[in-house]
Amino acid sequence: MRKSRTSTTPANIRALDRAFFSRDPRRVARELLGKVLVRQHSGALLTARIVEVEAYLGEQDPAAHSAAGNTARTAVLFGPPGHAYVYFIYGNHYCLNVSCEPDGQAGSVLVRALEPLSGVEEMAKARGIEIHSPKDLLRLTSGPGRLAQAFSITRVRDNGCDLTSGDSNLWIGEDGYRARGIRLTPRIGITKAAEKALRYLLVGNLFVSGPKRVL
DNA sequence: ATATCGATTATCT
DNA sequence: GATAATCGATATG
């Protein structure tokens, strides 16, 4: 009684709806922990659990790109919620954000680290590394630049992509996993408003980026 | 284990 | 012209 799969959507993951993202970025950030980022391209299925994010609060937040207002670069942030804002940084790296709050408000969540679930070989290939031991997995998706590279996320390909549709080739879903041990810390790698605790992570998860500390 | 630095480009001043 | 929501390599403890 096995059913053939005609849809490209993985059977056990269902997409989050737009209402999920149409809220305060702090709320969205907290609830995104434990959700699954899904990439479908050229037959391969890449999935990874979100284990670290940061909230950016829109025009009032000096550390957010949207602080400069609605420009060609930041237009997606000011648009409807649940869309991918992809930017290029330091001449090397792409980073993935999800737009939050209703249309017109620019809050967002930066995805900082993932725990790979499927498609590890594809991710390693995209990253240009080889997996020889379990600890090599840690360099696959721990950090915003790394995870973007592992998922082949670029500005041209993915900026503005709707993340709430399972038919999209990049989306976010949930598989029933319940996040436990959520911790807040200051955001990483910023110079403005660096003291605010807007980074959310799963305590003890090895795939969280940055120096490992005993918490 | 932490520190420093180069890479390389979009965006803003 | 300076800076940036980063990473990897190298140096040093």
Side-chain angles (χ1 to χ4, degrees):
Chain A
M1 53 162 282
R2 152 178 343 208
K3 240 166 109 174
S4 67
R5 271 208 332 225
T6 54
S7 167
T8 53
T9 303
N12 301 321
I13 308 177
R14 49 173 194 196
L16 301 176
D17 61 21
R18 198 159 318 284
F20 179 94
F21 298 102
S22 190
R23 298 180 292 170
D24 186 290
R26 286 164 288 207
R27 184 82 185 281
V28 177
R30 176 179 290 273
E31 295 193 22
L32 272 179
L33 292 176
K35 300 300 188 290
V36 181
L37 182 66
V38 184
R39 170 66 124 186
Q40 283 153 167
H41 71 2
S42 57
L45 176 68
L46 277 57
T47 61
R49 197 173 305 288
I50 298 171
V51 301
E52 178 189 351
V53 295
E54 284 176 0
Y56 286 83
L57 306 183
E59 282 185 280
Q60 326 311 328
D61 183 353
H65 290 178
S66 49
N70 189 341
T71 66
R73 181 199 200 189
T74 60
V76 173
L77 292 175
F78 288 84
H83 291 259
Y85 168 61
V86 179
Y87 67 91
F88 190 61
I89 191 70
Y90 296 117
N92 285 316
H93 307 288
Y94 292 98
C95 297
L96 171 68
N97 302 252
V98 190
S99 62
C100 300
E101 303 183 309
D103 201 355
Q105 295 177 260
S108 68
V109 173
L110 169 68
V111 182
R112 287 195 54 90
L114 306 170
E115 175 175 348
L117 298 175
S118 73
V120 166
E121 289 304 317
E122 304 290 336
M123 294 183 203
K125 188 176 172 188
R127 291 269 300 120
I129 64 178
E130 293 185 2
I131 308 296
H132 295 120
S133 73
K135 77 172 188 181
D136 290 331
L137 293 171
L138 297 174
R139 292 189 299 135
L140 233 35
T141 52
S142 294
R146 287 171 173 176
L147 74 89
Q149 188 177 22
F151 274 68
S152 302
I153 291 168
T154 66
R155 183 175 155 99
V156 168
R157 176 154 43 202
D158 301 302
N159 192 48
C161 177
D162 184 357
L163 299 174
T164 67
S165 168
D167 294 328
S168 171
N169 81 29
L170 184 67
W171 53 280
I172 298 174
E174 66 130 336
D175 63 356
Y177 178 91
R178 307 300 270 182
R180 288 182 197 279
I182 294 171
R183 185 175 303 260
L184 275 76
T185 78
R187 293 177 292 189
I188 287 184
I190 58 171
T191 56
K192 299 167 208 160
E195 77 292 346
K196 296 166 94 67
L198 292 172
R199 173 174 175 247
Y200 298 74
L201 57 88
L202 294 181
V203 174
N205 188 291
L206 294 174
F207 292 88
V208 170
S209 72
K212 303 295 172 239
R213 298 191 203 145
V214 185
L215 290 172

